[in-house]
Amino acid sequence: MAIPYMETVVCFMIVMYVFETYLDMRQHTALKLPNLPKTLVGVISQEKFEKSRAYSLDKSHFHFVHELVTILMDSAMLFFGILPWFWKLSGGFLPMVGLDPENEILHTLSFLAGVMIWSQITDLPFSLYSTFVIESRHGFNKQTIWMFFRDMVKGILLSVILAPPIVAAIIVIVQKGGPYLAIYLWAFMFILSLVMMTIYPVLIAPLFNKFTPLPDGDLREKIEKLASSLKFPLTKLFVVDGSTRSSHSNAYMYGFFKNKRIVLYDTLIQQCKNEDEIVAVIAHELGHWKLNHTTYSFIAVQILTLLQFGGYTLVRNSTDLFRSFGFDTQPVLIGLIIFQHTVIPLQHLVSFGLNLVSRAFEFQADAFAVKLGYAKDLRPALVKLQEENLSAMNTDPLYSAYHYSHPPLVERLRAIDGQDKKTD
């Protein structure tokens, strides 16, 4: 008797939807609380709290609708055999344009083109509503309709340029990989990730944002002094025009080996008038580097990727698995899609574990900044970022434990105060 793989996957998807909706409802209840957490009373104004509460509730309502539509579409796609139907339809399109339908690479690219068109159509209403209704209503959106669609077209063109050689390489590797398939796939994805991390900030990111060197002055001197004291190989210090699209703020670093760069959002500079607060945020980010968090995370991702490909090699030749999802053939891409669906339980567990590790890293990076003497500046900087981004002030503990990669502000402030007392 064949195992009902597809029915089992759909059932688990629905179970996970119900569980995550339960957590969403708990969070929604927390967001409706009319008062600030005790730790934030007197720290965050009532006006900012009310704005944050309204913004979070708007996003929560939107999330309920979006997730319901998503689970209905994903379940229907699997349960009613839309995936194999669409695969056959995309293959039937090839002879119409004079291409060989038996060529798996061409068939796969035709399938992906159809999926991209479909996803753009189905996602567009949600993206427009999120950007031009919710984000605009609460003062974050700075985009025009023209800029929105221009970015969308750029993204599509990048996919059209980058996807074909990547997809072709994966198909060839799977077809020729033999017993070492998992290692070959991992090696290819490892090299690809290094290449993308190299070219993205240089060639791709500038297509969407303008990066300019941080002007000479006290802020630049303080950041360079901090980097030098930690032996951080800072080569370039940029400001990105995030304000052209949103008033949300952030800062990040990237680069390999002796070629590191730091990027500040212009909104961060505008919101944190005290330069020492910005430097404290950078000290936190440099803490991640000094404590090797980025390296550990990268290694963890590589191990998980290798394990995933190892699992894929075990099931890719299972005719029962493909037939359960309505396929008579065993295309490489479809095998990867089916495998991703079959390991959804493990993916949720892994995601939860990675969030636990990420939150621990955030506490450690905060403690690192405190040890450098930035406690009095880091605390107000985090508060200001929370205020200006209208982040949720009240969070449900189960929801945050499951979803958040960063600890809630209340927990971070408590940990900073405790570390500051130890340092003193």
Side-chain angles (χ1 to χ4, degrees):
M1 180 179 176
I3 300 175
Y5 293 107
M6 184 271 290
E7 290 82 358
T8 302
V9 166
V10 172
C11 285
F12 187 81
M13 287 168 57
I14 294 173
V15 168
M16 287 307 304
Y17 167 75
V18 172
F19 170 68
E20 292 183 348
T21 299
Y22 164 70
L23 294 182
D24 292 337
M25 292 175 66
R26 288 179 61 100
Q27 176 67 0
H28 192 79
T29 301
L31 295 174
K32 292 168 68 175
L33 293 174
N35 299 312
L36 277 162
K38 290 182 180 179
T39 307
L40 300 181
V41 173
V43 176
I44 291 177
S45 69
Q46 187 65 23
E47 179 186 4
K48 283 291 186 182
F49 169 66
E50 293 295 342
K51 288 182 178 180
S52 165
R53 183 167 170 265
Y55 178 52
S56 297
L57 286 171
D58 264 5
K59 290 197 298 180
S60 180
H61 286 122
F62 174 78
H63 178 75
F64 281 120
V65 175
H66 190 216
E67 290 303 300
L68 176 61
V69 172
T70 299
I71 189 63
L72 289 175
M73 290 178 59
D74 289 349
S75 299
M77 179 188 69
L78 296 178
F79 193 78
F80 293 107
I82 296 174
L83 191 63
W85 170 80
F86 199 73
W87 174 259
K88 291 179 181 178
L89 181 67
S90 61
F93 170 76
L94 292 174
M96 297 170 59
V97 293
L99 297 175
D100 181 11
E102 299 302 318
N103 186 309
E104 186 174 341
I105 293 176
L106 295 177
H107 193 160
T108 301
L109 293 175
S110 175
F111 174 81
L112 287 175
V115 169
M116 183 173 65
I117 293 171
W118 173 250
S119 64
Q120 289 292 342
I121 293 171
T122 54
D123 289 344
L124 186 59
F126 294 104
S127 297
L128 288 171
Y129 187 86
S130 175
T131 302
F132 293 101
V133 177
I134 295 179
E135 295 295 306
S136 294
R137 179 185 296 160
H138 297 279
F140 287 118
N141 178 49
K142 305 300 180 184
Q143 293 188 79
T144 62
I145 285 286
W146 158 249
M147 185 181 293
F148 177 89
F149 281 104
R150 186 183 65 187
D151 285 351
M152 186 176 74
V153 170
K154 287 180 181 178
I156 292 173
L157 291 176
L158 281 171
S159 297
V160 170
I161 294 170
L162 297 176
I166 294 173
V167 170
I170 290 174
I171 291 174
V172 170
I173 290 171
V174 172
Q175 291 175 340
K176 308 291 185 182
Y180 300 104
L181 171 60
I183 295 176
Y184 293 149
L185 278 175
W186 168 79
F188 172 74
M189 295 306 296
F190 175 75
I191 294 171
L192 179 63
S193 65
L194 294 180
V195 171
M196 290 305 297
M197 283 191 288
T198 301
I199 69 172
Y200 178 83
V202 178
L203 299 177
I204 299 177
L207 295 175
F208 298 90
N209 288 101
K210 183 179 180 181
F211 293 78
T212 56
L214 179 66
D216 293 335
D218 290 343
L219 178 58
R220 185 181 186 92
E221 289 178 7
K222 289 177 180 178
I223 294 175
E224 289 177 341
K225 181 179 179 181
L226 171 63
S228 177
S229 68
L230 298 173
K231 294 182 171 55
F232 178 76
L234 177 62
T235 56
K236 293 184 180 179
L237 186 52
F238 289 118
V239 178
V240 61
D241 62 338
S243 60
T244 59
R245 288 170 176 78
S246 172
S247 57
H248 288 293
S249 57
N250 204 352
Y252 64 92
M253 61 182 181
Y254 65 93
F256 294 111
F257 308 115
K258 300 297 182 181
N259 184 27
K260 301 286 188 180
R261 305 177 183 190
I262 293 176
V263 177
L264 307 176
Y265 277 58
D266 57 354
T267 47
L268 177 66
I269 297 174
Q270 294 162 10
Q271 292 165 5
C272 292
K273 302 301 182 183
N274 185 340
E275 293 177 348
D276 290 333
E277 292 177 6
I278 299 175
V279 179
V281 172
I282 300 302
H284 167 94
E285 296 299 329
L286 293 180
H288 286 304
W289 169 78
K290 192 70 174 179
L291 298 171
N292 294 312
H293 292 164
T294 305
T295 302
Y296 295 147
S297 298
F298 186 76
I299 292 173
V301 169
Q302 298 310 312
I303 293 173
L304 291 172
T305 301
L306 181 58
L307 290 175
Q308 271 198 320
F309 286 138
Y312 168 67
T313 60
L314 295 176
V315 303
R316 74 183 186 89
N317 292 320
S318 171
T319 54
D320 287 343
L321 181 63
F322 279 85
R323 284 174 181 168
S324 178
F325 283 85
F327 288 89
D328 297 325
T329 57
Q330 298 172 235
V332 171
L333 176 68
I334 298 301
L336 289 169
I337 292 174
I338 291 175
F339 177 72
Q340 288 297 316
H341 278 93
T342 58
V343 296
I344 284 176
L346 288 176
Q347 287 177 333
H348 283 282
L349 288 174
V350 169
S351 177
F352 175 67
L354 291 176
N355 279 344
L356 290 176
V357 174
S358 176
R359 284 196 294 273
F361 283 171
E362 291 301 315
F363 283 126
Q364 291 173 11
D366 283 346
F368 180 84
V370 170
K371 288 180 181 178
L372 293 178
Y374 288 101
K376 70 180 183 65
D377 295 308
L378 181 60
R379 201 176 192 279
L382 294 177
V383 170
K384 194 163 293 183
L385 289 175
Q386 184 90 357
E387 283 184 323
E388 297 301 329
N389 290 320
L390 297 183
S391 302
M393 307 295 176
N394 288 302
T395 56
D396 176 76
L398 289 181
Y399 178 90
S400 63
Y402 183 78
H403 282 291
Y404 284 7
S405 61
H406 284 54
L409 177 63
V410 171
E411 296 180 22
R412 293 183 72 176
L413 294 181
R414 188 183 303 126
I416 289 171
D417 289 341
Q419 182 65 37
D420 193 27
K421 289 178 181 177
K422 290 181 182 178
T423 304
D424 291 342

